[in-house]
Every structure is written in C-alpha cells, then in structure tokens.
Amino acid sequence: VPSPDLTQDEWALWDVWMTAQRLVAREADRRLMREVGISKTEFSVLVTLRRASAPELRVGELTEALGWEKSRVSHQLTRMEQRGLVRRVEGGAPGRRTGVALTDAGRESVDDAVRRHAGTVRAVFLDLMDDDQQAVLREWAERVETLLGDDEA
Amino acid sequence: VPSPDLTQDEWALWDVWMTAQRLVAREADRRLMREVGISKTEFSVLVTLRRASAPELRVGELTEALGWEKSRVSHQLTRMEQRGLVRRVEGGAPGRRTGVALTDAGRESVDDAVRRHAGTVRAVFLDLMDDDQQAVLREWAERVETLLGDDEA
DNA sequence: TAAGATTGAGGCTTCAATCTTA
DNA sequence: TAAGATTGAAGCCTCAATCTTA
C-alpha cells in the first residue's frame, strides 16, 4: 500500500481544482439568473423536457436523462412547480406513472435561455481552454463518470 | 460578436465536466464522512485553523485563508460551533474582533482526518490522472481562479 | 462612517424513511 | 413485494440586509 500522504503540490492542485470548479459553477449560475431569471439546475430540467420527443416524461425518464438522484429530481420538480415552470400530470405517460410537462411559462423561458446560456458556457469555460486542454478535460471527465457514476441513490 | 451557439460536442463537454466535478466532490465528501465523521467543508476549516501559527484566528483571517465568502464562513462556523468542533472567542485576537479556535474535539479529529483525506484525494482525483493531465488541469484551474476569483461577496 | 461579522430567506443536495400501486 | 416517487431533516451556498463598534 503506497503512503497516502500528499506533497504540497498535490494538496495545492486539489485545492485550486476545487476552488476553480466552484467559481465556474457559481459564475454560470449567476449569469443565467441575471440574464434569464432561472438557475442552472432549472435550466437542465427545462432543456431535458424541451428536447424530449414526447410532450411529457415520466419522472423516472427525466431522472435517467439527467443522471441525477431521484430525490434530487423530486425536490427540484417541487420547487419548479411552485415557480410555474413545470407541471406534474397524473397518469399521462405510459405506465400510468406521474408525468412531467413544461408549462407555457417554462417553454417560453427555455429557448431564449439556451441561446444565452451558450454564451455563458463559452465565457466561463470553453474560452478559458485551448483544444488540447479541452481534450484532456474531456478524457478525465469521462473517466470519472465511468468510475464514480451509475451509482445514484 | 461570434455566434454564441455551441456544437453538440461543446455542450457534451460542459455536461460531462459538470457531472464529473459533482461526482468527485460527492465521493470525497462521502468517504470523509464515513471514515472520519466530518464533511469536506468542515475539514477545510479545521485544517486552516490547525495550520495557523496562532492558536486562534480572527474570522476575517480565516475567511481570507479559505478564500470563501464571509457569510459562508459565518454560517459554517455556526454549524461547527453547534457540533463542538470550533469555538468563537470574544476579543482574543488583535483588534478585539471575534476570534475562532479549535476545540479539543476539533483538534482530535483533524490530524487523523488529514491522513485519511489524503487517501481519498488520491483515490478520487490524483490517481485518475497522469502527470500531463495534472499539469493541464492545474494551469486551467489557476487561470479560472485569476479570472473569476477575488470577487467574493 | 466604514470595516468586520452576522442573520434570514431561499435554493441546492444528500440520506434515510415512507408512501403508493402495479 | 418491489419499483417508482415523495418527503423530512440537515448540511451547504449565495444574496441582501442588518448589526456592531473602532
């Protein structure tokens, strides 16, 4: 078993990574909220519903598409229902389970949001890397997803 | 002004990166909680206090060292005080401001936690990259910190 | 007054427990 | 019973407002 101790450089890398990750997420969230009035979490849900082939999805389908934990999805839907962005529908989708659909307000927000959020993703993420860095990051992220993902509660 | 639209690959990179980032943070948090019984946020505070030259720090010094927003620090200290990990002290540090110190319980946790958390950081982060990838990630993270940091509320 | 610190509200996330119904 | 979904509690994080005191 190798010693678990880290060098100063390794601790520093972990720290700067954690910080950078939080700053990017925060900045993306701020801009989206300022420009479109929705959070990046709400954005994810709206986009998933908008892109779906059916007008409504079962909660389980939405959860699968997002890759989130199911309780996270449920809480998120509750908040978004209160804000009038989505609507829960009984027995609409196949299998008689709870369905989720965009409201008119939700549909109105999302298309504009896609365009604006793209600018944000460029500004706080893509524009800060060259192609080689993008490739490295992609490779690393896919590896993480393989190893740690598919483990949702 | 360049078109803000993103290619599918660019959206995919953003998505996979956001996911990976969350998975790593979650896994680090889980392991630390399971093995030592403290969260990674609590760990950051404890380590900062432990490494400080003085037995107590002013809240502002702690905030500076952590690079967090001051309200985040304040809320975090309130929770940790309730858990008995830290203690707020009136007028101890220079300038008569509120000081923060480790409790005995806090001091007992932190040394063991440092060792164990090192193993976690290796397992969920460092071991998933080679040296070149580490270098790219470090460069990117430092750039992000320069551009988006020092902006705390 | 201004810097240092706290507070309250509200959204996000996880865990564990519970409810519902095929 | 088991899968699908929800709920409650608790911690985390940000924003805006407020309190305190040098």
Short mmCIF file of all heavy atoms in Angstrom, two decimals, chain A residues 4-5 9-10 14 16-17 19 21-22 26 30 67 69 72 115 118 122 125 128-129 133 136-138 140 143 145 151-152, chain B residues 4-5 9-10 14 16-17 19 21-22 26 30 67 69 72 115 118 122 125 128-129 133 136-137 140 143 145 151-152:
data_model
loop_
_atom_site.label_atom_id
_atom_site.label_comp_id
_atom_site.label_asym_id
_atom_site.label_seq_id
_atom_site.Cartn_x
_atom_site.Cartn_y
_atom_site.Cartn_z
N PRO A 4 -0.33 7.27 1.79
CA PRO A 4 -1.39 8.16 1.33
C PRO A 4 -1.02 9.64 1.45
O PRO A 4 -1.75 10.49 0.97
CB PRO A 4 -2.55 7.83 2.28
CG PRO A 4 -1.90 7.37 3.53
CD PRO A 4 -0.60 6.73 3.13
N ASP A 5 0.10 9.94 2.06
CA ASP A 5 0.44 11.35 2.25
C ASP A 5 0.60 12.05 0.91
O ASP A 5 1.07 11.48 -0.06
CB ASP A 5 1.74 11.49 3.05
CG ASP A 5 1.54 11.05 4.50
OD1 ASP A 5 0.39 11.14 4.97
OD2 ASP A 5 2.51 10.61 5.12
N ASP A 9 2.45 20.13 -3.41
CA ASP A 9 1.94 20.38 -4.76
C ASP A 9 0.62 19.66 -5.00
O ASP A 9 -0.28 20.18 -5.65
CB ASP A 9 2.96 19.93 -5.81
CG ASP A 9 3.97 21.02 -6.12
OD1 ASP A 9 3.89 22.09 -5.49
OD2 ASP A 9 4.83 20.79 -6.98
N GLU A 10 0.55 18.45 -4.47
CA GLU A 10 -0.68 17.69 -4.68
C GLU A 10 -1.84 18.30 -3.91
O GLU A 10 -2.96 18.42 -4.44
CB GLU A 10 -0.46 16.23 -4.29
CG GLU A 10 0.40 15.48 -5.31
CD GLU A 10 0.77 14.07 -4.86
OE1 GLU A 10 1.04 13.87 -3.66
OE2 GLU A 10 0.81 13.18 -5.72
N TRP A 14 -5.31 19.94 -5.61
CA TRP A 14 -6.67 19.62 -5.15
C TRP A 14 -7.41 20.90 -4.76
O TRP A 14 -8.55 21.13 -5.17
CB TRP A 14 -6.59 18.65 -3.97
CG TRP A 14 -7.87 18.39 -3.25
CD1 TRP A 14 -8.21 18.83 -2.01
CD2 TRP A 14 -8.99 17.60 -3.71
NE1 TRP A 14 -9.47 18.38 -1.67
CE2 TRP A 14 -9.97 17.62 -2.69
CE3 TRP A 14 -9.25 16.89 -4.88
CZ2 TRP A 14 -11.19 16.95 -2.80
CZ3 TRP A 14 -10.48 16.23 -4.99
CH2 TRP A 14 -11.41 16.27 -3.96
N VAL A 16 -6.83 24.07 -5.62
CA VAL A 16 -7.09 25.01 -6.71
C VAL A 16 -8.16 24.44 -7.64
O VAL A 16 -8.97 25.17 -8.20
CB VAL A 16 -5.80 25.37 -7.48
CG1 VAL A 16 -5.38 24.26 -8.41
CG2 VAL A 16 -5.96 26.68 -8.24
N TRP A 17 -8.17 23.13 -7.77
CA TRP A 17 -9.20 22.48 -8.58
C TRP A 17 -10.59 22.67 -7.98
O TRP A 17 -11.54 23.07 -8.64
CB TRP A 17 -8.89 21.00 -8.73
CG TRP A 17 -10.07 20.19 -9.15
CD1 TRP A 17 -10.81 19.36 -8.38
CD2 TRP A 17 -10.66 20.16 -10.45
NE1 TRP A 17 -11.82 18.82 -9.12
CE2 TRP A 17 -11.77 19.29 -10.39
CE3 TRP A 17 -10.36 20.79 -11.65
CZ2 TRP A 17 -12.57 19.04 -11.49
CZ3 TRP A 17 -11.17 20.53 -12.75
CH2 TRP A 17 -12.26 19.66 -12.66
N THR A 19 -11.54 24.90 -5.93
CA THR A 19 -11.91 26.31 -5.99
C THR A 19 -12.38 26.70 -7.39
O THR A 19 -13.42 27.34 -7.56
CB THR A 19 -10.72 27.19 -5.57
OG1 THR A 19 -10.37 26.87 -4.22
CG2 THR A 19 -11.08 28.66 -5.66
N GLN A 21 -13.52 24.89 -9.77
CA GLN A 21 -14.76 24.20 -10.08
C GLN A 21 -15.95 24.98 -9.49
O GLN A 21 -16.95 25.22 -10.16
CB GLN A 21 -14.56 22.80 -9.47
CG GLN A 21 -15.70 21.91 -9.36
CD GLN A 21 -16.30 22.06 -7.98
OE1 GLN A 21 -17.29 22.76 -7.83
NE2 GLN A 21 -15.72 21.42 -6.98
N ARG A 22 -15.79 25.43 -8.26
CA ARG A 22 -16.86 26.17 -7.60
C ARG A 22 -17.05 27.54 -8.25
O ARG A 22 -18.18 27.99 -8.45
CB ARG A 22 -16.53 26.34 -6.11
CG ARG A 22 -17.62 26.98 -5.29
CD ARG A 22 -17.29 26.96 -3.79
NE ARG A 22 -16.06 27.64 -3.46
CZ ARG A 22 -15.92 28.97 -3.38
NH1 ARG A 22 -16.96 29.73 -3.59
NH2 ARG A 22 -14.77 29.50 -3.09
N ARG A 26 -20.46 28.75 -10.03
CA ARG A 26 -21.13 29.93 -9.48
C ARG A 26 -21.33 31.00 -10.52
O ARG A 26 -22.40 31.62 -10.62
CB ARG A 26 -20.31 30.49 -8.30
CG ARG A 26 -21.01 31.61 -7.59
CD ARG A 26 -20.18 32.19 -6.47
NE ARG A 26 -18.96 32.80 -6.97
CZ ARG A 26 -18.11 33.49 -6.22
NH1 ARG A 26 -18.33 33.60 -4.92
NH2 ARG A 26 -17.04 34.03 -6.75
N ARG A 30 -24.80 32.56 -11.77
CA ARG A 30 -25.09 34.00 -11.65
C ARG A 30 -25.57 34.60 -12.95
O ARG A 30 -26.53 35.35 -13.00
CB ARG A 30 -23.82 34.74 -11.23
CG ARG A 30 -23.54 34.72 -9.77
CD ARG A 30 -22.27 35.53 -9.51
NE ARG A 30 -21.99 35.58 -8.09
CZ ARG A 30 -20.83 36.01 -7.59
NH1 ARG A 30 -19.87 36.40 -8.40
NH2 ARG A 30 -20.64 36.05 -6.28
N GLY A 67 -29.42 12.01 -15.13
CA GLY A 67 -28.38 11.33 -14.38
C GLY A 67 -28.30 11.79 -12.94
O GLY A 67 -27.25 11.74 -12.32
N GLU A 69 -29.89 11.91 -8.81
CA GLU A 69 -30.57 11.06 -7.84
C GLU A 69 -32.06 11.38 -7.84
O GLU A 69 -32.44 12.52 -8.05
CB GLU A 69 -29.99 11.28 -6.45
CG GLU A 69 -28.59 10.68 -6.34
CD GLU A 69 -27.79 11.27 -5.21
OE1 GLU A 69 -28.40 11.60 -4.17
OE2 GLU A 69 -26.58 11.39 -5.36
N ARG A 72 -33.35 14.13 -5.62
CA ARG A 72 -32.96 15.46 -6.10
C ARG A 72 -33.94 15.94 -7.16
O ARG A 72 -34.38 17.10 -7.14
CB ARG A 72 -31.54 15.39 -6.68
CG ARG A 72 -31.01 16.70 -7.20
CD ARG A 72 -29.65 16.52 -7.85
NE ARG A 72 -29.16 17.77 -8.42
CZ ARG A 72 -28.13 17.86 -9.25
NH1 ARG A 72 -27.48 16.77 -9.63
NH2 ARG A 72 -27.76 19.02 -9.73
N ARG A 115 -29.91 29.88 -25.87
CA ARG A 115 -29.01 30.80 -26.56
C ARG A 115 -28.10 31.57 -25.59
O ARG A 115 -26.89 31.62 -25.73
CB ARG A 115 -29.84 31.78 -27.41
CG ARG A 115 -29.06 32.94 -27.98
CD ARG A 115 -27.97 32.45 -28.92
NE ARG A 115 -28.55 31.77 -30.09
CZ ARG A 115 -28.80 32.37 -31.25
NH1 ARG A 115 -28.53 33.65 -31.40
NH2 ARG A 115 -29.31 31.70 -32.27
N ALA A 118 -25.49 29.45 -23.72
CA ALA A 118 -24.36 29.09 -24.57
C ALA A 118 -23.26 30.14 -24.45
O ALA A 118 -22.07 29.81 -24.33
CB ALA A 118 -24.82 28.96 -26.02
N ARG A 122 -19.41 29.52 -22.94
CA ARG A 122 -18.19 29.97 -23.62
C ARG A 122 -17.35 30.85 -22.70
O ARG A 122 -16.15 30.64 -22.53
CB ARG A 122 -18.54 30.81 -24.85
CG ARG A 122 -18.88 30.04 -26.05
CD ARG A 122 -18.48 30.79 -27.33
NE ARG A 122 -19.00 30.04 -28.47
CZ ARG A 122 -18.55 28.86 -28.84
NH1 ARG A 122 -17.55 28.29 -28.19
NH2 ARG A 122 -19.09 28.24 -29.87
N PHE A 125 -16.01 28.95 -19.44
CA PHE A 125 -15.48 27.58 -19.53
C PHE A 125 -14.69 27.36 -20.81
O PHE A 125 -13.46 27.25 -20.79
CB PHE A 125 -16.64 26.59 -19.40
CG PHE A 125 -16.26 25.15 -19.31
CD1 PHE A 125 -15.50 24.70 -18.24
CD2 PHE A 125 -16.66 24.25 -20.27
CE1 PHE A 125 -15.14 23.36 -18.15
CE2 PHE A 125 -16.32 22.91 -20.18
CZ PHE A 125 -15.55 22.46 -19.11
N LEU A 128 -11.73 29.54 -21.87
CA LEU A 128 -10.57 29.50 -20.98
C LEU A 128 -9.64 28.33 -21.28
O LEU A 128 -8.69 28.07 -20.53
CB LEU A 128 -11.03 29.43 -19.52
CG LEU A 128 -11.33 30.76 -18.82
CD1 LEU A 128 -12.20 31.68 -19.66
CD2 LEU A 128 -11.99 30.53 -17.47
N MET A 129 -9.92 27.62 -22.38
CA MET A 129 -9.12 26.44 -22.71
C MET A 129 -8.81 26.42 -24.20
O MET A 129 -9.63 26.86 -25.00
CB MET A 129 -9.90 25.16 -22.40
CG MET A 129 -10.15 24.92 -20.94
SD MET A 129 -11.07 23.39 -20.74
CE MET A 129 -12.69 23.89 -21.30
N GLN A 133 -6.36 21.29 -24.16
CA GLN A 133 -6.87 21.27 -22.79
C GLN A 133 -8.28 20.69 -22.76
O GLN A 133 -8.65 19.94 -21.86
CB GLN A 133 -6.85 22.67 -22.20
CG GLN A 133 -5.43 23.17 -21.91
CD GLN A 133 -5.40 24.61 -21.46
OE1 GLN A 133 -6.08 25.46 -22.03
NE2 GLN A 133 -4.63 24.88 -20.44
N VAL A 136 -8.03 16.94 -22.91
CA VAL A 136 -7.60 16.36 -21.64
C VAL A 136 -8.75 16.36 -20.64
O VAL A 136 -9.00 15.37 -19.95
CB VAL A 136 -6.39 17.15 -21.07
CG1 VAL A 136 -6.13 16.74 -19.64
CG2 VAL A 136 -5.16 16.90 -21.92
N LEU A 137 -9.44 17.48 -20.57
CA LEU A 137 -10.53 17.59 -19.63
C LEU A 137 -11.65 16.60 -19.96
O LEU A 137 -12.22 15.97 -19.07
CB LEU A 137 -11.08 19.02 -19.67
CG LEU A 137 -11.35 19.64 -18.30
CD1 LEU A 137 -10.07 19.69 -17.51
CD2 LEU A 137 -11.94 21.03 -18.46
N ARG A 138 -11.91 16.45 -21.23
CA ARG A 138 -12.97 15.53 -21.64
C ARG A 138 -12.62 14.09 -21.25
O ARG A 138 -13.43 13.36 -20.69
CB ARG A 138 -13.20 15.61 -23.14
CG ARG A 138 -14.22 14.59 -23.65
CD ARG A 138 -14.44 14.69 -25.15
NE ARG A 138 -15.15 15.90 -25.52
CZ ARG A 138 -14.64 16.92 -26.20
NH1 ARG A 138 -13.39 16.89 -26.59
NH2 ARG A 138 -15.37 17.97 -26.49
N TRP A 140 -10.57 13.10 -18.94
CA TRP A 140 -10.61 12.94 -17.49
C TRP A 140 -12.06 12.83 -17.00
O TRP A 140 -12.39 11.95 -16.21
CB TRP A 140 -9.92 14.13 -16.81
CG TRP A 140 -10.07 14.12 -15.33
CD1 TRP A 140 -9.35 13.37 -14.45
CD2 TRP A 140 -11.03 14.84 -14.56
NE1 TRP A 140 -9.80 13.59 -13.17
CE2 TRP A 140 -10.82 14.49 -13.20
CE3 TRP A 140 -12.03 15.76 -14.87
CZ2 TRP A 140 -11.59 15.02 -12.18
CZ3 TRP A 140 -12.80 16.29 -13.85
CH2 TRP A 140 -12.58 15.91 -12.52
N ARG A 143 -13.64 9.55 -17.69
CA ARG A 143 -13.09 8.51 -16.82
C ARG A 143 -13.77 8.57 -15.45
O ARG A 143 -14.16 7.55 -14.88
CB ARG A 143 -11.58 8.73 -16.68
CG ARG A 143 -10.92 7.71 -15.82
CD ARG A 143 -9.60 7.23 -16.40
NE ARG A 143 -9.07 6.14 -15.60
CZ ARG A 143 -7.84 6.13 -15.09
NH1 ARG A 143 -7.02 7.13 -15.33
NH2 ARG A 143 -7.44 5.10 -14.38
N GLU A 145 -16.68 9.77 -14.78
CA GLU A 145 -18.07 9.35 -14.90
C GLU A 145 -18.17 7.82 -14.92
O GLU A 145 -19.06 7.23 -14.32
CB GLU A 145 -18.69 9.95 -16.16
CG GLU A 145 -20.20 10.10 -16.06
CD GLU A 145 -20.75 10.94 -17.20
OE1 GLU A 145 -20.11 11.00 -18.26
OE2 GLU A 145 -21.83 11.53 -17.01
N ASP A 151 -24.25 5.31 -9.93
CA ASP A 151 -24.16 4.91 -8.54
C ASP A 151 -25.18 5.73 -7.77
O ASP A 151 -25.09 5.90 -6.57
CB ASP A 151 -22.74 5.24 -8.05
CG ASP A 151 -22.49 4.72 -6.66
OD1 ASP A 151 -23.06 3.67 -6.33
OD2 ASP A 151 -21.77 5.39 -5.92
N GLU A 152 -26.13 6.23 -8.50
CA GLU A 152 -27.06 7.19 -7.91
C GLU A 152 -28.01 6.52 -6.93
O GLU A 152 -28.41 5.39 -7.12
CB GLU A 152 -27.85 7.88 -9.02
CG GLU A 152 -26.99 8.41 -10.15
CD GLU A 152 -26.21 9.66 -9.74
OE1 GLU A 152 -26.59 10.27 -8.74
OE2 GLU A 152 -25.22 9.98 -10.41
N PRO B 4 -22.92 32.71 -30.29
CA PRO B 4 -22.77 32.02 -29.02
C PRO B 4 -23.20 30.56 -29.07
O PRO B 4 -23.00 29.84 -28.11
CB PRO B 4 -23.70 32.81 -28.09
CG PRO B 4 -24.76 33.36 -28.99
CD PRO B 4 -24.11 33.57 -30.33
N ASP B 5 -23.74 30.14 -30.18
CA ASP B 5 -24.23 28.76 -30.22
C ASP B 5 -23.09 27.77 -30.03
O ASP B 5 -21.97 28.00 -30.45
CB ASP B 5 -24.91 28.48 -31.58
CG ASP B 5 -26.22 29.25 -31.69
OD1 ASP B 5 -26.82 29.54 -30.64
OD2 ASP B 5 -26.63 29.55 -32.82
N ASP B 9 -20.73 18.75 -29.44
CA ASP B 9 -19.54 18.35 -28.69
C ASP B 9 -19.25 19.31 -27.54
O ASP B 9 -18.84 18.89 -26.46
CB ASP B 9 -18.31 18.30 -29.61
CG ASP B 9 -18.19 16.96 -30.30
OD1 ASP B 9 -19.07 16.10 -30.08
OD2 ASP B 9 -17.21 16.77 -31.05
N GLU B 10 -19.47 20.57 -27.78
CA GLU B 10 -19.20 21.55 -26.73
C GLU B 10 -20.21 21.43 -25.60
O GLU B 10 -19.85 21.47 -24.42
CB GLU B 10 -19.21 22.96 -27.33
CG GLU B 10 -17.96 23.24 -28.15
CD GLU B 10 -18.00 24.57 -28.89
OE1 GLU B 10 -19.09 24.97 -29.36
OE2 GLU B 10 -16.95 25.21 -29.01
N TRP B 14 -19.32 20.35 -21.65
CA TRP B 14 -19.82 21.08 -20.48
C TRP B 14 -20.60 20.14 -19.55
O TRP B 14 -20.38 20.11 -18.35
CB TRP B 14 -20.71 22.23 -20.96
CG TRP B 14 -21.46 22.95 -19.89
CD1 TRP B 14 -22.81 22.88 -19.66
CD2 TRP B 14 -20.94 23.87 -18.91
NE1 TRP B 14 -23.15 23.70 -18.60
CE2 TRP B 14 -22.02 24.31 -18.12
CE3 TRP B 14 -19.66 24.35 -18.62
CZ2 TRP B 14 -21.88 25.21 -17.07
CZ3 TRP B 14 -19.51 25.25 -17.56
CH2 TRP B 14 -20.60 25.67 -16.80
N VAL B 16 -20.49 16.80 -19.32
CA VAL B 16 -19.70 15.74 -18.70
C VAL B 16 -18.77 16.34 -17.64
O VAL B 16 -18.50 15.73 -16.61
CB VAL B 16 -18.93 14.92 -19.75
CG1 VAL B 16 -17.71 15.64 -20.26
CG2 VAL B 16 -18.53 13.56 -19.19
N TRP B 17 -18.32 17.54 -17.88
CA TRP B 17 -17.46 18.17 -16.90
C TRP B 17 -18.22 18.52 -15.63
O TRP B 17 -17.76 18.26 -14.51
CB TRP B 17 -16.81 19.44 -17.48
CG TRP B 17 -15.93 20.09 -16.47
CD1 TRP B 17 -14.66 19.73 -16.15
CD2 TRP B 17 -16.28 21.16 -15.61
NE1 TRP B 17 -14.21 20.53 -15.13
CE2 TRP B 17 -15.17 21.41 -14.79
CE3 TRP B 17 -17.43 21.94 -15.45
CZ2 TRP B 17 -15.18 22.40 -13.82
CZ3 TRP B 17 -17.43 22.92 -14.49
CH2 TRP B 17 -16.31 23.15 -13.68
N THR B 19 -20.84 17.10 -14.52
CA THR B 19 -21.16 15.86 -13.85
C THR B 19 -19.95 15.30 -13.10
O THR B 19 -20.04 14.93 -11.92
CB THR B 19 -21.67 14.82 -14.86
OG1 THR B 19 -22.85 15.32 -15.48
CG2 THR B 19 -21.97 13.50 -14.18
N GLN B 21 -17.31 16.77 -12.04
CA GLN B 21 -16.97 17.66 -10.95
C GLN B 21 -17.83 17.35 -9.72
O GLN B 21 -17.35 17.24 -8.60
CB GLN B 21 -17.16 19.07 -11.54
CG GLN B 21 -17.19 20.22 -10.65
CD GLN B 21 -18.62 20.52 -10.26
OE1 GLN B 21 -19.02 20.10 -9.19
NE2 GLN B 21 -19.37 21.22 -11.09
N ARG B 22 -19.11 17.16 -9.97
CA ARG B 22 -20.03 16.85 -8.88
C ARG B 22 -19.77 15.47 -8.29
O ARG B 22 -19.80 15.28 -7.07
CB ARG B 22 -21.48 16.93 -9.40
CG ARG B 22 -22.54 16.77 -8.33
CD ARG B 22 -23.95 17.03 -8.87
NE ARG B 22 -24.30 16.17 -9.98
CZ ARG B 22 -24.70 14.90 -9.85
NH1 ARG B 22 -24.79 14.36 -8.66
NH2 ARG B 22 -25.00 14.18 -10.91
N ARG B 26 -18.69 14.79 -4.47
CA ARG B 26 -19.58 13.97 -3.66
C ARG B 26 -18.86 12.77 -3.06
O ARG B 26 -19.02 12.45 -1.89
CB ARG B 26 -20.77 13.49 -4.50
CG ARG B 26 -21.81 12.75 -3.69
CD ARG B 26 -22.94 12.25 -4.56
NE ARG B 26 -22.49 11.25 -5.51
CZ ARG B 26 -23.31 10.56 -6.30
NH1 ARG B 26 -24.60 10.78 -6.25
NH2 ARG B 26 -22.83 9.67 -7.13
N ARG B 30 -18.37 11.89 0.81
CA ARG B 30 -18.87 10.63 1.38
C ARG B 30 -17.80 9.89 2.16
O ARG B 30 -18.04 9.40 3.26
CB ARG B 30 -19.34 9.71 0.26
CG ARG B 30 -20.72 10.00 -0.23
CD ARG B 30 -21.06 8.98 -1.32
NE ARG B 30 -22.43 9.19 -1.79
CZ ARG B 30 -22.93 8.62 -2.87
NH1 ARG B 30 -22.17 7.80 -3.59
NH2 ARG B 30 -24.17 8.84 -3.23
N GLY B 67 -10.54 31.70 1.30
CA GLY B 67 -10.99 32.24 0.02
C GLY B 67 -12.48 32.10 -0.18
O GLY B 67 -12.95 31.99 -1.30
N GLU B 69 -16.65 33.29 0.76
CA GLU B 69 -17.43 34.47 1.07
C GLU B 69 -17.65 34.53 2.57
O GLU B 69 -17.78 33.52 3.23
CB GLU B 69 -18.78 34.41 0.35
CG GLU B 69 -18.61 34.65 -1.13
CD GLU B 69 -19.78 34.15 -1.96
OE1 GLU B 69 -20.91 34.24 -1.44
OE2 GLU B 69 -19.56 33.66 -3.07
N ARG B 72 -20.60 32.76 4.08
CA ARG B 72 -20.43 31.30 4.06
C ARG B 72 -19.62 30.86 5.28
O ARG B 72 -19.96 29.88 5.95
CB ARG B 72 -19.71 30.89 2.78
CG ARG B 72 -19.50 29.40 2.65
CD ARG B 72 -18.70 29.06 1.40
NE ARG B 72 -18.41 27.64 1.31
CZ ARG B 72 -17.54 27.09 0.47
NH1 ARG B 72 -16.88 27.86 -0.38
NH2 ARG B 72 -17.34 25.80 0.45
N ARG B 115 -4.61 12.61 7.31
CA ARG B 115 -4.07 11.39 6.76
C ARG B 115 -5.11 10.65 5.89
O ARG B 115 -4.87 10.26 4.75
CB ARG B 115 -3.58 10.48 7.89
CG ARG B 115 -3.23 9.08 7.46
CD ARG B 115 -2.08 9.08 6.46
NE ARG B 115 -0.85 9.61 7.05
CZ ARG B 115 0.11 8.85 7.57
NH1 ARG B 115 -0.01 7.55 7.55
NH2 ARG B 115 1.19 9.40 8.08
N ALA B 118 -6.13 12.40 2.63
CA ALA B 118 -5.11 12.27 1.59
C ALA B 118 -5.39 11.05 0.73
O ALA B 118 -5.31 11.10 -0.50
CB ALA B 118 -3.73 12.20 2.22
N ARG B 122 -6.31 11.02 -3.37
CA ARG B 122 -5.65 10.15 -4.35
C ARG B 122 -6.67 9.30 -5.11
O ARG B 122 -6.65 9.25 -6.33
CB ARG B 122 -4.70 9.19 -3.64
CG ARG B 122 -3.37 9.76 -3.32
CD ARG B 122 -2.26 8.69 -3.33
NE ARG B 122 -1.04 9.27 -2.84
CZ ARG B 122 -0.36 10.21 -3.50
NH1 ARG B 122 -0.78 10.63 -4.67
NH2 ARG B 122 0.73 10.72 -2.98
N PHE B 125 -9.21 11.47 -7.30
CA PHE B 125 -8.75 12.61 -8.10
C PHE B 125 -7.37 12.36 -8.71
O PHE B 125 -7.24 12.15 -9.92
CB PHE B 125 -8.74 13.86 -7.21
CG PHE B 125 -8.44 15.14 -7.92
CD1 PHE B 125 -9.27 15.62 -8.92
CD2 PHE B 125 -7.33 15.89 -7.57
CE1 PHE B 125 -8.99 16.82 -9.57
CE2 PHE B 125 -7.04 17.09 -8.21
CZ PHE B 125 -7.88 17.54 -9.21
N LEU B 128 -6.59 9.34 -10.95
CA LEU B 128 -7.32 9.28 -12.21
C LEU B 128 -6.64 10.10 -13.30
O LEU B 128 -7.19 10.26 -14.39
CB LEU B 128 -8.75 9.78 -11.99
CG LEU B 128 -9.79 8.74 -11.53
CD1 LEU B 128 -9.28 7.87 -10.41
CD2 LEU B 128 -11.09 9.43 -11.12
N MET B 129 -5.45 10.62 -13.02
CA MET B 129 -4.75 11.47 -13.99
C MET B 129 -3.28 11.10 -14.06
O MET B 129 -2.68 10.70 -13.07
CB MET B 129 -4.81 12.93 -13.54
CG MET B 129 -6.19 13.52 -13.55
SD MET B 129 -6.11 15.25 -13.05
CE MET B 129 -5.81 15.04 -11.30
N GLN B 133 -1.83 15.35 -17.56
CA GLN B 133 -3.19 15.81 -17.27
C GLN B 133 -3.22 16.70 -16.04
O GLN B 133 -3.93 17.70 -16.00
CB GLN B 133 -4.11 14.60 -17.09
CG GLN B 133 -4.36 13.85 -18.39
CD GLN B 133 -5.17 12.58 -18.19
OE1 GLN B 133 -4.91 11.82 -17.26
NE2 GLN B 133 -6.14 12.36 -19.03
N VAL B 136 -2.15 20.15 -17.08
CA VAL B 136 -3.18 20.87 -17.81
C VAL B 136 -4.26 21.36 -16.86
O VAL B 136 -4.71 22.51 -16.91
CB VAL B 136 -3.81 19.96 -18.89
CG1 VAL B 136 -5.08 20.60 -19.46
CG2 VAL B 136 -2.81 19.68 -20.00
N LEU B 137 -4.67 20.48 -15.96
CA LEU B 137 -5.71 20.83 -15.02
C LEU B 137 -5.27 21.97 -14.12
O LEU B 137 -6.03 22.90 -13.83
CB LEU B 137 -6.07 19.61 -14.17
CG LEU B 137 -7.55 19.30 -14.08
CD1 LEU B 137 -8.14 19.08 -15.45
CD2 LEU B 137 -7.79 18.08 -13.22
N TRP B 140 -5.30 25.27 -16.04
CA TRP B 140 -6.66 25.73 -16.26
C TRP B 140 -7.25 26.29 -14.96
O TRP B 140 -7.84 27.38 -14.95
CB TRP B 140 -7.53 24.57 -16.77
CG TRP B 140 -8.97 24.93 -16.87
CD1 TRP B 140 -9.55 25.68 -17.85
CD2 TRP B 140 -10.00 24.62 -15.93
NE1 TRP B 140 -10.88 25.85 -17.58
CE2 TRP B 140 -11.19 25.21 -16.41
CE3 TRP B 140 -10.03 23.91 -14.74
CZ2 TRP B 140 -12.39 25.10 -15.73
CZ3 TRP B 140 -11.22 23.79 -14.06
CH2 TRP B 140 -12.39 24.39 -14.55
N ARG B 143 -5.94 29.62 -14.03
CA ARG B 143 -6.48 30.66 -14.90
C ARG B 143 -7.88 31.06 -14.45
O ARG B 143 -8.23 32.23 -14.38
CB ARG B 143 -6.52 30.12 -16.33
CG ARG B 143 -7.06 31.08 -17.33
CD ARG B 143 -6.20 31.14 -18.59
NE ARG B 143 -6.66 32.20 -19.46
CZ ARG B 143 -7.07 32.00 -20.71
NH1 ARG B 143 -7.01 30.79 -21.23
NH2 ARG B 143 -7.49 33.01 -21.44
N GLU B 145 -9.11 30.78 -11.48
CA GLU B 145 -9.04 31.49 -10.21
C GLU B 145 -8.64 32.95 -10.44
O GLU B 145 -9.17 33.85 -9.80
CB GLU B 145 -8.02 30.79 -9.29
CG GLU B 145 -8.28 31.04 -7.82
CD GLU B 145 -7.45 30.12 -6.94
OE1 GLU B 145 -6.37 29.68 -7.39
OE2 GLU B 145 -7.87 29.85 -5.81
N ASP B 151 -13.44 37.91 -5.91
CA ASP B 151 -14.68 38.57 -6.29
C ASP B 151 -15.72 38.22 -5.24
O ASP B 151 -16.91 38.30 -5.46
CB ASP B 151 -15.10 38.02 -7.66
CG ASP B 151 -16.30 38.76 -8.21
OD1 ASP B 151 -16.43 39.95 -7.94
OD2 ASP B 151 -17.12 38.10 -8.88
N GLU B 152 -15.22 37.83 -4.10
CA GLU B 152 -16.11 37.27 -3.08
C GLU B 152 -16.99 38.35 -2.46
O GLU B 152 -16.57 39.48 -2.30
CB GLU B 152 -15.29 36.57 -1.99
CG GLU B 152 -14.25 35.61 -2.53
CD GLU B 152 -14.88 34.33 -3.09
OE1 GLU B 152 -16.04 34.06 -2.74
OE2 GLU B 152 -14.24 33.63 -3.87
#
